[in-house]
Amino acid sequence: MLCLSLSLSEMPFGRRPTFHRHICTKVLLAEGRESPFTEHCRNFEKSYRTEIQRLKDEVQEMHRDLTKHHSLINTDTMNEILERCLLIDEQIASQYSAVQTQRTVFEEKWDVTFQRVTNEQEIYEAQLHDLLQLKQENSYLTTIARQIGPYILSIAKVKERLEPRFQKPENDCIDTTVKIHEDQISCKKKSCSDRDSDSSLILPPD
């Protein structure tokens, strides 16, 4: 009776890993991506969990009747539960072997996926490194531009002093051209007038 006083809730059923696996499986199946592994998980969830839970409830009820109520347990019921436990044990062992045989197939796919994830992680880290490097180069260029800026301004001012500060506008150039042309015409007229005056001084022949 001291051995039977142990509650089923205290037995090492490993609730936490099972609960965590159950949640992860739900998330995986909810993503909707079909693969051999998702199909395997879907079939696994349909396995013996319901039958095991039913057996746990029945054994717990028998345990409570025996320890608290001191009721007599039907031996046939007990034998039936034991037979079901043995049958389920054989089925679980068979499924365990089947799952073990699938390890090679899954590991090949996991290796490919792991390599892809590794490549993506390397690309991601390289992108961050490139951004930091570009930021550093831009900071270096900014520093250089700030350093040479005053020299460029100084050279520009010196060049401005050496060159003519005011250039004649385009209209002044046109006026100058017209003036030169008028001066040329005036010179021609003066030259002709001078020749006429010189010819008037020559006496005509008799």
Side-chain angles (χ1 to χ4, degrees):
M1 291 301 294
L2 292 175
C3 296
L4 292 176
S5 63
L6 179 64
S7 174
L8 288 179
S9 60
E10 299 174 357
M11 296 182 67
F13 287 131
R15 289 180 176 273
R16 287 186 178 180
T18 301
F19 179 75
H20 179 70
R21 180 200 57 76
H22 184 62
I23 296 298
C24 292
T25 303
K26 274 190 171 183
V27 173
L28 179 65
L29 296 178
E31 291 178 354
R33 291 183 297 180
E34 293 297 330
S35 68
F37 188 73
T38 55
E39 183 65 23
H40 158 74
C41 291
R42 189 177 291 108
N43 294 332
F44 185 86
E45 292 301 316
K46 296 177 182 178
S47 58
Y48 313 104
R49 184 164 304 280
T50 304
E51 184 63 22
I52 290 292
Q53 184 62 45
R54 187 181 297 112
L55 283 173
K56 285 169 62 177
D57 294 339
E58 293 178 5
V59 172
Q60 190 170 11
E61 184 178 357
M62 291 174 56
H63 180 269
R64 183 173 55 252
D65 291 341
L66 184 61
T67 56
K68 292 184 178 181
H69 305 293
H70 303 288
S71 301
L72 293 177
I73 306 299
N74 191 344
T75 56
D76 293 337
T77 303
M78 189 66 203
N79 290 333
E80 180 186 355
I81 291 177
L82 287 174
E83 290 178 359
R84 287 162 56 194
C85 288
L86 293 175
L87 178 61
I88 291 178
D89 186 70
E90 294 178 358
Q91 293 174 342
I92 291 176
S94 176
Q95 186 180 11
Y96 185 85
S97 299
V99 172
Q100 282 282 69
T101 58
Q102 293 178 302
R103 178 187 293 273
T104 304
V105 178
F106 292 147
E107 283 183 346
E108 291 178 357
K109 295 184 178 298
W110 292 335
D111 289 339
V112 174
T113 304
F114 178 76
Q115 186 62 41
R116 178 177 58 81
V117 172
T118 302
N119 292 337
E120 291 180 358
Q121 289 176 341
E122 291 179 355
I123 292 172
Y124 172 76
E125 295 297 335
Q127 289 173 346
L128 292 178
H129 180 270
D130 289 344
L131 289 175
L132 292 177
Q133 185 175 0
L134 290 174
K135 180 178 178 59
Q136 185 177 3
E137 292 178 359
N138 183 64
S139 177
Y140 179 70
L141 293 175
T142 303
T143 302
I144 293 178
R146 287 175 178 174
Q147 289 178 351
I148 66 176
Y151 295 98
I152 294 175
L153 293 176
S154 177
I155 293 173
K157 289 180 180 180
V158 172
K159 184 178 179 182
E160 183 180 356
R161 286 198 299 268
L162 294 177
E163 292 181 352
R165 293 188 178 182
F166 303 99
Q167 295 183 357
K168 294 182 179 181
E170 184 179 357
N171 293 333
D172 293 345
C173 295
I174 295 175
D175 294 341
T176 303
T177 305
V178 173
K179 184 176 181 181
I180 294 173
H181 183 67
E182 290 177 352
D183 290 343
Q184 291 177 349
I185 295 175
S186 176
C187 289
K188 288 182 180 180
K189 289 182 178 180
K190 184 177 181 181
S191 176
C192 294
S193 175
D194 292 341
R195 285 200 302 271
D196 293 340
S197 61
D198 291 341
S199 61
S200 63
L201 296 177
I202 301 173
L203 294 174
D206 295 335

mmCIF file of all heavy atoms in Angstrom, residues 47-58 81 84-85 87-88 91:
data_model
loop_
_atom_site.group_PDB
_atom_site.id
_atom_site.type_symbol
_atom_site.label_atom_id
_atom_site.label_comp_id
_atom_site.label_asym_id
_atom_site.label_seq_id
_atom_site.Cartn_x
_atom_site.Cartn_y
_atom_site.Cartn_z
ATOM 1 N N SER A 47 -1.165 9.182 -33.333
ATOM 2 C CA SER A 47 -0.776 7.842 -32.886
ATOM 3 C C SER A 47 -1.459 7.474 -31.573
ATOM 4 O O SER A 47 -2.663 7.648 -31.431
ATOM 5 C CB SER A 47 0.750 7.761 -32.787
ATOM 6 O OG SER A 47 1.233 8.751 -31.890
ATOM 7 N N TYR A 48 -0.708 7.048 -30.596
ATOM 8 C CA TYR A 48 -1.286 6.362 -29.438
ATOM 9 C C TYR A 48 -1.530 7.295 -28.264
ATOM 10 O O TYR A 48 -1.778 6.816 -27.155
ATOM 11 C CB TYR A 48 -0.344 5.228 -29.015
ATOM 12 C CG TYR A 48 0.105 4.395 -30.176
ATOM 13 C CD1 TYR A 48 1.378 4.550 -30.689
ATOM 14 C CD2 TYR A 48 -0.757 3.497 -30.790
ATOM 15 C CE1 TYR A 48 1.790 3.805 -31.778
ATOM 16 C CE2 TYR A 48 -0.360 2.751 -31.870
ATOM 17 C CZ TYR A 48 0.919 2.898 -32.371
ATOM 18 O OH TYR A 48 1.314 2.177 -33.446
ATOM 19 N N ARG A 49 -1.477 8.584 -28.486
ATOM 20 C CA ARG A 49 -1.627 9.495 -27.367
ATOM 21 C C ARG A 49 -3.025 9.390 -26.736
ATOM 22 O O ARG A 49 -3.168 9.419 -25.518
ATOM 23 C CB ARG A 49 -1.370 10.938 -27.838
ATOM 24 C CG ARG A 49 -1.421 11.949 -26.710
ATOM 25 C CD ARG A 49 -0.781 13.236 -27.172
ATOM 26 N NE ARG A 49 0.567 12.982 -27.641
ATOM 27 C CZ ARG A 49 1.614 12.833 -26.843
ATOM 28 N NH1 ARG A 49 1.445 12.872 -25.535
ATOM 29 N NH2 ARG A 49 2.800 12.602 -27.317
ATOM 30 N N THR A 50 -4.044 9.268 -27.560
ATOM 31 C CA THR A 50 -5.414 9.178 -27.023
ATOM 32 C C THR A 50 -5.587 7.909 -26.196
ATOM 33 O O THR A 50 -6.178 7.937 -25.099
ATOM 34 C CB THR A 50 -6.429 9.199 -28.164
ATOM 35 O OG1 THR A 50 -6.226 10.382 -28.944
ATOM 36 C CG2 THR A 50 -7.840 9.180 -27.631
ATOM 37 N N GLU A 51 -5.062 6.793 -26.715
ATOM 38 C CA GLU A 51 -5.198 5.525 -25.992
ATOM 39 C C GLU A 51 -4.406 5.554 -24.688
ATOM 40 O O GLU A 51 -4.884 5.060 -23.644
ATOM 41 C CB GLU A 51 -4.703 4.378 -26.876
ATOM 42 C CG GLU A 51 -4.883 3.003 -26.275
ATOM 43 C CD GLU A 51 -6.346 2.634 -26.054
ATOM 44 O OE1 GLU A 51 -7.222 3.222 -26.721
ATOM 45 O OE2 GLU A 51 -6.603 1.775 -25.200
ATOM 46 N N ILE A 52 -3.240 6.134 -24.702
ATOM 47 C CA ILE A 52 -2.436 6.240 -23.480
ATOM 48 C C ILE A 52 -3.149 7.105 -22.437
ATOM 49 O O ILE A 52 -3.177 6.793 -21.237
ATOM 50 C CB ILE A 52 -1.049 6.815 -23.798
ATOM 51 C CG1 ILE A 52 -0.229 5.802 -24.581
ATOM 52 C CG2 ILE A 52 -0.310 7.227 -22.531
ATOM 53 C CD1 ILE A 52 0.159 4.588 -23.788
ATOM 54 N N GLN A 53 -3.756 8.191 -22.893
ATOM 55 C CA GLN A 53 -4.473 9.061 -21.970
ATOM 56 C C GLN A 53 -5.659 8.332 -21.355
ATOM 57 O O GLN A 53 -5.952 8.479 -20.161
ATOM 58 C CB GLN A 53 -4.951 10.321 -22.702
ATOM 59 C CG GLN A 53 -5.628 11.344 -21.814
ATOM 60 C CD GLN A 53 -4.702 11.877 -20.728
ATOM 61 O OE1 GLN A 53 -3.557 12.200 -20.998
ATOM 62 N NE2 GLN A 53 -5.206 11.956 -19.502
ATOM 63 N N ARG A 54 -6.340 7.510 -22.160
ATOM 64 C CA ARG A 54 -7.465 6.738 -21.620
ATOM 65 C C ARG A 54 -6.987 5.739 -20.562
ATOM 66 O O ARG A 54 -7.614 5.575 -19.511
ATOM 67 C CB ARG A 54 -8.174 6.007 -22.763
ATOM 68 C CG ARG A 54 -9.465 5.309 -22.330
ATOM 69 C CD ARG A 54 -10.133 4.585 -23.466
ATOM 70 N NE ARG A 54 -10.536 5.501 -24.513
ATOM 71 C CZ ARG A 54 -10.003 5.552 -25.744
ATOM 72 N NH1 ARG A 54 -9.031 4.702 -26.057
ATOM 73 N NH2 ARG A 54 -10.434 6.402 -26.625
ATOM 74 N N LEU A 55 -5.870 5.093 -20.826
ATOM 75 C CA LEU A 55 -5.319 4.146 -19.852
ATOM 76 C C LEU A 55 -4.877 4.863 -18.577
ATOM 77 O O LEU A 55 -5.096 4.362 -17.459
ATOM 78 C CB LEU A 55 -4.132 3.405 -20.470
ATOM 79 C CG LEU A 55 -4.472 2.301 -21.461
ATOM 80 C CD1 LEU A 55 -3.192 1.768 -22.112
ATOM 81 C CD2 LEU A 55 -5.219 1.160 -20.764
ATOM 82 N N LYS A 56 -4.297 6.023 -18.715
ATOM 83 C CA LYS A 56 -3.889 6.783 -17.532
ATOM 84 C C LYS A 56 -5.092 7.140 -16.678
ATOM 85 O O LYS A 56 -5.045 7.034 -15.431
ATOM 86 C CB LYS A 56 -3.153 8.054 -17.978
ATOM 87 C CG LYS A 56 -1.742 7.796 -18.465
ATOM 88 C CD LYS A 56 -1.163 9.021 -19.135
ATOM 89 C CE LYS A 56 -1.065 10.198 -18.195
ATOM 90 N NZ LYS A 56 -0.423 11.377 -18.830
ATOM 91 N N ASP A 57 -6.190 7.540 -17.319
ATOM 92 C CA ASP A 57 -7.390 7.896 -16.559
ATOM 93 C C ASP A 57 -7.944 6.683 -15.816
ATOM 94 O O ASP A 57 -8.350 6.781 -14.640
ATOM 95 C CB ASP A 57 -8.446 8.481 -17.493
ATOM 96 C CG ASP A 57 -8.020 9.809 -18.100
ATOM 97 O OD1 ASP A 57 -7.123 10.465 -17.521
ATOM 98 O OD2 ASP A 57 -8.568 10.199 -19.155
ATOM 99 N N GLU A 58 -7.955 5.545 -16.496
ATOM 100 C CA GLU A 58 -8.503 4.342 -15.878
ATOM 101 C C GLU A 58 -7.628 3.867 -14.720
ATOM 102 O O GLU A 58 -8.134 3.497 -13.638
ATOM 103 C CB GLU A 58 -8.639 3.238 -16.923
ATOM 104 C CG GLU A 58 -9.691 3.539 -17.980
ATOM 105 C CD GLU A 58 -9.767 2.439 -19.015
ATOM 106 O OE1 GLU A 58 -9.072 1.412 -18.856
ATOM 107 O OE2 GLU A 58 -10.513 2.612 -19.996
ATOM 108 N N ILE A 81 -6.710 -4.048 -18.623
ATOM 109 C CA ILE A 81 -5.823 -2.878 -18.706
ATOM 110 C C ILE A 81 -4.382 -3.316 -18.952
ATOM 111 O O ILE A 81 -3.658 -2.715 -19.762
ATOM 112 C CB ILE A 81 -5.945 -2.044 -17.422
ATOM 113 C CG1 ILE A 81 -7.323 -1.383 -17.350
ATOM 114 C CG2 ILE A 81 -4.840 -0.990 -17.357
ATOM 115 C CD1 ILE A 81 -7.559 -0.591 -16.084
ATOM 116 N N ARG A 84 -3.953 -4.319 -22.590
ATOM 117 C CA ARG A 84 -3.902 -3.136 -23.455
ATOM 118 C C ARG A 84 -2.563 -2.430 -23.324
ATOM 119 O O ARG A 84 -1.995 -1.943 -24.302
ATOM 120 C CB ARG A 84 -5.047 -2.192 -23.108
ATOM 121 C CG ARG A 84 -6.413 -2.711 -23.568
ATOM 122 C CD ARG A 84 -7.546 -2.018 -22.850
ATOM 123 N NE ARG A 84 -7.498 -0.560 -23.003
ATOM 124 C CZ ARG A 84 -8.216 0.284 -22.266
ATOM 125 N NH1 ARG A 84 -9.018 -0.193 -21.321
ATOM 126 N NH2 ARG A 84 -8.142 1.581 -22.477
ATOM 127 N N CYS A 85 -2.049 -2.381 -22.106
ATOM 128 C CA CYS A 85 -0.742 -1.749 -21.911
ATOM 129 C C CYS A 85 0.345 -2.499 -22.672
ATOM 130 O O CYS A 85 1.215 -1.886 -23.317
ATOM 131 C CB CYS A 85 -0.401 -1.703 -20.427
ATOM 132 S SG CYS A 85 -1.380 -0.506 -19.476
ATOM 133 N N LEU A 87 -0.061 -4.409 -25.320
ATOM 134 C CA LEU A 87 -0.269 -4.231 -26.750
ATOM 135 C C LEU A 87 0.245 -2.868 -27.211
ATOM 136 O O LEU A 87 0.933 -2.764 -28.233
ATOM 137 C CB LEU A 87 -1.757 -4.381 -27.073
ATOM 138 C CG LEU A 87 -2.141 -4.165 -28.547
ATOM 139 C CD1 LEU A 87 -1.442 -5.179 -29.438
ATOM 140 C CD2 LEU A 87 -3.655 -4.237 -28.710
ATOM 141 N N ILE A 88 -0.079 -1.843 -26.458
ATOM 142 C CA ILE A 88 0.377 -0.503 -26.815
ATOM 143 C C ILE A 88 1.900 -0.418 -26.728
ATOM 144 O O ILE A 88 2.551 0.243 -27.536
ATOM 145 C CB ILE A 88 -0.284 0.544 -25.908
ATOM 146 C CG1 ILE A 88 -1.776 0.636 -26.230
ATOM 147 C CG2 ILE A 88 0.372 1.904 -26.068
ATOM 148 C CD1 ILE A 88 -2.532 1.610 -25.360
ATOM 149 N N GLN A 91 3.222 -1.758 -29.881
ATOM 150 C CA GLN A 91 2.979 -0.832 -30.984
ATOM 151 C C GLN A 91 3.925 0.374 -30.906
ATOM 152 O O GLN A 91 4.437 0.842 -31.926
ATOM 153 C CB GLN A 91 1.515 -0.376 -30.949
ATOM 154 C CG GLN A 91 0.527 -1.488 -31.253
ATOM 155 C CD GLN A 91 -0.912 -1.035 -31.074
ATOM 156 O OE1 GLN A 91 -1.192 -0.026 -30.416
ATOM 157 N NE2 GLN A 91 -1.844 -1.788 -31.639
#
